[in-house]
Amino acid sequence: MNSQSVANAPQSNNSLTLNWTYILFFGAFHALALSALWCFSWQALGVAIFLHWLCGGIGICLGYHRLLSHRSFEVPKWLEYAIATCGALAIQGGPIFWVGGHRQHHGYTEDVEKDPYSAKRGFWWSHILWLLYPKQEAFDKEYYSKYASDLLRQPFYRWLDRYFLLLQVPLAVLLYAFGGWSFVIYGIFLRSVVLWHCTWFVNSATHTWGYRSFACDDNSRNLWWVALSTYGEGWHNNHHAHPRSAQSGWRWWEIDVTWYTIQLLDRLGLAKKVRKIPMSKIS
């Protein structure tokens, strides 16, 4: 989608304009991620993979998404806060922003006005342009907080929502102490960029390609390669059919690493009230 198609898309009363702060921020991260080509080491790559899993698999997929957005299971409060902190390290916004936006997405899926990253505006809108042409409804704290009032009531989440970016400072210092600039480039910049696009593909690709197991009103689809890169989130049609389920992959070959992690927490006595897709519902 180019600028002209964005302008022609159905809009609210607020005109869509480029946010140059966001463009410079994302552009700088992508440029620094490319510098990883000149400072490669297997150790640095290992750091990037580990932090991709910790911040993405644990922080975003398990934490921000299935635990906080949908409350598909419960854990002790200390563990919930620790997992949410991992999510904040992903640099995808604070928990109130992320959860508020995601609940809008489910409440108004693919509505061109009310879904912040509606796929009906086009692939590139739902992938990244919704961030570069921010709609007031999606980025106004007073508005999106209404959809995450359970988090807004907790001082820790209000603090994390405001200061999540500052968490990158101690992480960068720690990475530099252990491996120098290559660890910082791989552990902060390359990891963040790869994880961003993995997450954004859930918004874009899984509303475009793949198969459907459930007859949802939206165009959500199951897409294996997105599932593999997002620890199970690519089984998106399953998820939209049963959003409160802790289990997204249903069939034996629908690999869902996040679900396996929740099962492990359950066996360790750390997860309770775990919700599953009713077997009778699968087609």
Side-chain angles (χ1 to χ4, degrees), residues 32-274:
L32 287 166
L34 286 175
S35 70
L37 295 171
W38 289 272
C39 57
F40 173 82
S41 73
W42 289 109
Q43 294 87 348
L45 180 60
V47 166
I49 292 171
F50 171 75
L51 288 175
H52 185 284
W53 166 77
L54 182 65
C55 301
I58 300 299
I60 297 296
C61 302
L62 186 145
Y64 272 20
H65 188 211
R66 302 193 199 187
L67 176 60
L68 298 183
S69 294
H70 296 289
R71 294 297 183 186
S72 59
F73 65 102
E74 296 179 4
V75 295
K77 188 59 70 174
W78 66 266
L79 182 56
E80 178 181 312
Y81 285 171
I83 292 171
T85 302
C86 292
L89 283 169
I91 323 182
Q92 295 188 15
I96 298 174
F97 166 79
W98 203 102
V99 171
H102 190 70
R103 288 176 179 172
Q104 290 177 64
H105 169 66
H106 275 273
Y108 310 103
T109 305
E110 297 179 355
D111 185 291
V112 294
E113 297 297 335
K114 297 180 180 179
D115 181 350
Y117 27 88
S118 172
K120 286 188 177 179
R121 284 180 173 264
F123 178 91
W124 288 109
W125 172 267
S126 57
H127 190 77
I128 189 174
L129 289 180
W130 72 278
L131 292 166
L132 305 183
Y133 291 86
K135 297 180 65 177
Q136 183 178 0
E137 296 87 346
F139 289 84
D140 181 78
K141 187 171 184 177
E142 185 176 352
Y143 184 82
Y144 68 69
S145 294
K146 296 177 182 178
Y147 293 86
S149 58
D150 53 328
L151 303 187
L152 187 64
R153 288 192 294 267
Q154 302 179 53
F156 177 76
Y157 286 125
R158 294 198 300 271
W159 180 88
L160 198 60
D161 202 67
R162 185 172 183 178
Y163 297 112
F164 70 94
L165 270 178
L166 292 180
L167 296 179
Q168 299 302 311
V169 176
L171 177 59
V173 170
L174 187 65
L175 290 171
Y176 183 81
F178 277 94
W181 285 113
S182 65
F183 273 32
V184 175
I185 294 297
Y186 276 78
I188 299 290
F189 299 102
L190 181 64
R191 176 266 303 177
S192 297
V193 168
V194 172
L195 183 54
W196 285 340
H197 285 282
C198 289
T199 302
W200 297 340
F201 275 129
V202 178
N203 301 336
S204 56
T206 62
H207 281 266
T208 306
W209 306 298
Y211 65 90
R212 292 166 60 83
S213 296
F214 296 95
C216 299
D217 292 335
D218 53 65
N219 196 42
S220 59
R221 295 174 177 275
N222 296 321
L223 193 56
W224 67 271
W225 58 268
V226 176
L228 291 181
S229 64
T230 57
Y231 309 95
E233 301 298 83
W235 311 121
H236 205 52
N237 175 248
N238 296 350
H239 172 61
H240 269 262
H242 298 281
R244 297 206 64 189
S245 171
Q247 179 183 5
S248 288
W250 185 255
R251 296 181 173 90
W252 67 267
W253 44 266
E254 292 178 338
I255 298 172
D256 186 357
V257 175
T258 302
W259 168 237
Y260 307 151
T261 306
I262 295 170
Q263 287 182 301
L264 176 61
L265 291 174
D266 189 16
R267 289 169 186 164
L268 293 173
L270 293 172
K272 60 181 181 179
K273 298 184 180 179
V274 179

